[in-house]
Amino acid sequence: MRSHFDGNEERTGWHVPFVSEPDISAMSQGLEIDPIWARILLGRGFDQDNLQGSFLHPSPPGPTCVGDTLLASETLSSALKNQSKIAIYADLDVDGITSAVMCSRFLTRRHHPHSVLLVHREDGHGLNPDRILSLPDEGYRVIIAADLGVSNIPLLMEARESGLEPIVVDHHLIQEPWPATLSLVHPQGRSCLTAVGCLYVLLRAFAHDSEEREMAFLAGLAVLADRAPILAENRYFVQSLLDEGVLESFPGVKALLRKKVQRKIMVNDFSFWVIPSLNAPGRMSDPLPSFRLLMAQTESEAEKYSNQVVEMNRRRREIEWSVYEEVRSRWDGTPVVFSPDWAPGVMGRIAHRLCEEFNQSVFVATLTASGSVRGSLRLKGEVTILDILKCLEGLPISGGGHPKAGGLGFPIEALEDVRSLLTAFLKDRSGTREEEAGTLDIDAFLPAYYRSGVFWEGLGKLIPFGEGFPEPMFGIRNVQVEKVASGNGRLVLCHFRWRHGTERAAFRHTQTLPNPGDRLDLVMTPELVGKGDRVERLFTIRRYRNAG
């Protein structure tokens, strides 16, 4: 069997998928892409057939992407026909906000009576009983619960008995049998749609073709915000973000982008600027400014609400980095991190940063205004939220979320028990195959022509990367470190020499840094990063080891 390794490369210590040269040549010619990118796609299990459907020309989601929607469709159809007053109750993050916007735009176009209720930070997670149970007395007959609801079955049944028909549109883990009498629109293992992606499926049957691309745009925002797998239906949604015609329907997003971008829009502009800005109001307290920004129809509205969310995002970043630097400076690696004084709205971001930088599962928590503990989980390896809930079974825990990310809440009295159980459980499952075996996983070795336009143009054709389609990992053998120095912002730049000359790459997530003179093997990923009116080409070092 022929290996695709360069004849001068050694196999020892590297794990690279085998791909045959004829297959690489065929895909490269068939798709008109550079061979290095054909190699990576083939190594990840793609061929020209499944690339067309899930990657290059994905289709929008249809009914097969969610469970049975008959009851939900009938409930919505009846409400539309009878002009029944509808309440939209949505979570405070981007998935919830875009769901509320999709619903409200849909109903507004039909002059249908409705109101939008958004979760406030102080409400905690899930449906608030006081807000829900008062709705029938206010004339509401249907409630659409978006990006929440699957953990509130008793409350939903009570609301239904009082005359309020629920439609739950969610994608979080369902932890108990779902009642047949409650409407549910959920992926249920059929796809990786977010809540607003599920809502797209429900509303698409009632929407005009002219509305579809706007709906897809909103769903694309949530795919990036929730780090959902960027393949198949979700890739269709993300591609809609680059449709300039659709962007005209969202002057608030255009106003946001104008504040940072003076060139052609990239997907990264949404990931690193639009999404954090939209998330900031909910993290700080009230997500309403983000909802209004996405609902804006005039330039004056767009400017007003974009200024509001930008200011909230600035404040959020200050708080987040202050807390993160405090955590990082004193953290001893214990998986459970707690302080009563931190801002609840940034716990998810802190957990994410720790998880990525130190490559381990963490739970970061603080006290809420009510005196209970609330925090965020980010998980590595094979551990899932269900494993965590099983580990804590018997304790007064509420929580849920996605398989690898979620939240937990409990009384302060249970903190030490949670700390003890989670620490033992997560430490027992720490470590990766690479750490144990000393092997570096890569897609390919970096080709000698990596500076050429052909290489970077090929990268641009594969963007965006994310869950399900991670950034490409390239290996470089036996580099010599010349200098390690702080770069712009919080990056650390490593200047090194290798057989094809000198280069530099950024450290983003690492516990320790190498020293000048060290000889290393590197795993790096190339990135195209928008900086104002230009696009920078750079490499980020993901892993390294002593060359040997």
Side-chain angles (χ1 to χ4, degrees):
M1 179 181 289
R2 254 186 95 186
S3 167
H4 74 265
F5 283 87
D6 183 305
N8 295 321
E9 303 290 359
E10 298 175 6
R11 288 173 176 269
T12 306
W14 298 93
H15 179 260
V16 192
F18 170 79
V19 184
S20 74
E21 297 299 334
D23 288 343
I24 292 172
S25 178
M27 177 176 282
S28 176
Q29 294 177 24
L31 299 180
E32 297 183 343
I33 58 175
D34 187 73
I36 191 64
W37 302 112
R39 178 189 298 280
I40 287 174
L41 291 169
L42 288 164
R44 293 183 176 189
F46 290 101
D47 57 36
Q48 292 195 49
D49 290 335
N50 61 28
L51 267 177
Q52 292 292 336
S54 66
F55 193 86
L56 297 176
H57 304 291
S59 300
T64 58
C65 293
V66 295
D68 184 8
T69 62
L70 180 59
L71 183 56
S73 296
E74 289 177 346
T75 301
L76 179 59
S77 178
S78 176
L80 294 173
K81 179 181 178 181
N82 298 320
Q83 285 286 294
S84 302
K85 199 173 179 183
I86 296 175
I88 304 162
Y89 196 119
D91 203 6
L92 51 69
D93 64 4
V94 169
D95 197 12
I97 295 166
T98 52
S99 297
V101 171
M102 186 182 289
C103 270
S104 188
R105 282 182 171 235
F106 173 84
L107 295 173
T108 298
R109 283 193 171 103
R110 288 152 181 80
H111 306 287
H112 193 98
H114 70 282
S115 295
V116 174
L117 305 174
L118 299 174
V119 172
H120 292 187
R121 175 60 57 183
E122 56 270 22
D123 290 342
H125 292 271
L127 298 167
N128 184 307
D130 293 336
R131 299 178 81 184
I132 295 296
L133 298 178
S134 64
L135 291 173
D137 292 338
E138 299 171 23
Y140 292 93
R141 293 295 171 261
V142 173
I143 180 172
I144 298 175
D147 197 31
L148 75 180
V150 292
S151 60
N152 298 108
I153 292 176
L155 176 59
L156 292 168
M157 294 297 286
E158 184 178 354
R160 190 170 184 274
E161 291 171 2
S162 67
L164 185 66
E165 192 65 42
I167 300 175
V168 176
V169 184
D170 203 352
H171 68 137
H172 294 102
L173 293 173
I174 302 175
Q175 300 177 35
E176 55 186 308
W178 191 261
T181 56
L182 282 181
S183 300
L184 176 67
V185 185
H186 192 284
Q188 298 187 46
R190 293 171 169 82
S191 66
C192 296
L193 293 177
T194 66
V196 71
C198 294
L199 184 63
Y200 171 101
V201 175
L202 175 65
L203 295 185
R204 185 67 185 93
F206 300 91
H208 303 304
D209 289 344
S210 58
E211 299 173 85
E212 188 275 334
R213 291 300 283 168
E214 290 182 21
M215 293 164 60
F217 181 94
L218 291 167
L221 293 175
V223 169
L224 298 181
D226 269 23
R227 299 176 182 270
I230 305 184
L231 291 172
E233 301 85 8
N234 282 340
R235 197 167 188 88
Y236 171 83
F237 288 146
V238 171
Q239 288 177 349
S240 71
L241 297 176
L242 301 180
D243 187 327
E244 295 181 4
V246 178
L247 190 58
E248 293 297 322
S249 300
F250 295 93
V253 177
K254 281 191 66 177
L256 263 183
L257 288 167
R258 279 199 304 267
K259 297 180 187 302
K260 283 283 186 180
V261 183
Q262 294 84 45
R263 50 167 167 72
K264 187 175 181 179
I265 303 300
M266 300 168 55
V267 171
N268 282 351
D269 298 320
F270 290 93
S271 297
F272 298 128
W273 174 240
V274 175
I275 300 299
S277 298
L278 291 175
N279 261 328
R283 294 188 188 279
M284 301 300 294
S285 175
D286 185 354
L288 187 58
S290 296
F291 173 81
R292 287 174 170 165
L293 180 139
L294 291 174
M295 290 293 293
Q297 295 296 310
T298 66
E299 291 297 322
S300 61
E301 288 178 321
E303 193 63 21
K304 174 183 176 180
Y305 296 123
S306 65
N307 287 337
Q308 287 185 13
V309 301
V310 166
E311 173 59 21
M312 289 182 172
N313 191 38
R314 183 192 65 79
R315 289 164 45 205
R316 186 272 309 168
R317 291 182 65 186
E318 288 179 354
I319 293 170
E320 178 184 324
W321 280 110
S322 175
V323 172
Y324 185 64
E325 288 175 349
E326 177 188 342
V327 171
R328 198 181 187 283
S329 67
R330 69 184 195 187
W331 190 40
D332 61 1
T334 303
V336 178
V337 186
F338 171 82
S339 173
D341 303 320
W342 293 332
V346 300
M347 292 299 92
R349 293 293 303 158
I350 303 303
H352 171 75
R353 291 187 181 280
L354 287 176
C355 180
E356 290 301 308
E357 179 168 356
F358 295 97
N359 194 34
Q360 74 170 69
S361 301
V362 293
F363 174 61
V364 182
T366 188
L367 282 183
T368 66
S370 64
S372 62
V373 176
R374 187 79 201 180
S376 293
L377 276 161
R378 295 296 183 271
L379 302 173
K380 286 285 187 178
E382 301 300 318
V383 180
T384 68
I385 288 287
L386 286 178
D387 297 322
I388 298 298
L389 294 175
K390 186 175 181 180
C391 164
L392 301 176
E393 198 170 11
L395 294 177
I397 301 290
S398 63
H402 314 294
K404 293 295 185 181
L408 297 177
F410 47 86
I412 184 65
E413 293 79 13
L415 176 60
E416 290 310 313
D417 287 335
V418 171
R419 191 197 304 271
S420 175
L421 289 169
L422 270 187
T423 298
F425 181 81
L426 292 175
K427 280 191 171 181
D428 185 53
R429 288 156 179 79
S430 64
T432 65
R433 187 185 64 78
E434 286 185 10
E435 292 168 345
E436 294 167 356
T439 300
L440 294 178
D441 282 309
I442 59 174
D443 290 294
F445 287 99
L446 191 66
Y449 59 91
Y450 72 94
R451 291 188 177 96
S452 72
V454 171
F455 177 87
W456 293 96
E457 287 167 11
L459 177 69
K461 290 180 180 179
L462 301 190
I463 290 173
F465 301 102
E467 284 294 320
F469 187 62
E471 296 164 316
M473 298 292 181
F474 286 99
I476 305 182
R477 294 182 65 249
N478 197 25
V479 311
Q480 181 171 13
V481 178
E482 295 187 331
K483 182 174 67 172
V484 178
S486 296
N488 294 329
R490 300 173 187 274
L491 299 182
V492 176
L493 297 179
C494 177
H495 301 252
F496 61 86
R497 179 177 296 277
W498 68 309
R499 64 183 182 179
H500 296 299
T502 58
E503 191 54 73
R504 68 176 187 173
F507 282 102
R508 294 181 190 270
H509 311 301
T510 186
Q511 287 180 265
T512 58
L513 296 171
N515 298 307
D518 287 351
R519 286 203 169 271
L520 306 174
D521 293 332
L522 303 179
V523 176
M524 306 197 309
T525 185
E527 297 182 46
L528 293 169
V529 178
K531 297 287 187 181
D533 60 351
R534 68 188 191 282
V535 177
E536 288 188 356
R537 300 171 175 179
L538 55 86
F539 283 96
T540 297
I541 298 172
R542 300 300 182 183
R543 301 178 190 89
Y544 72 90
R545 67 180 177 199
N546 291 328

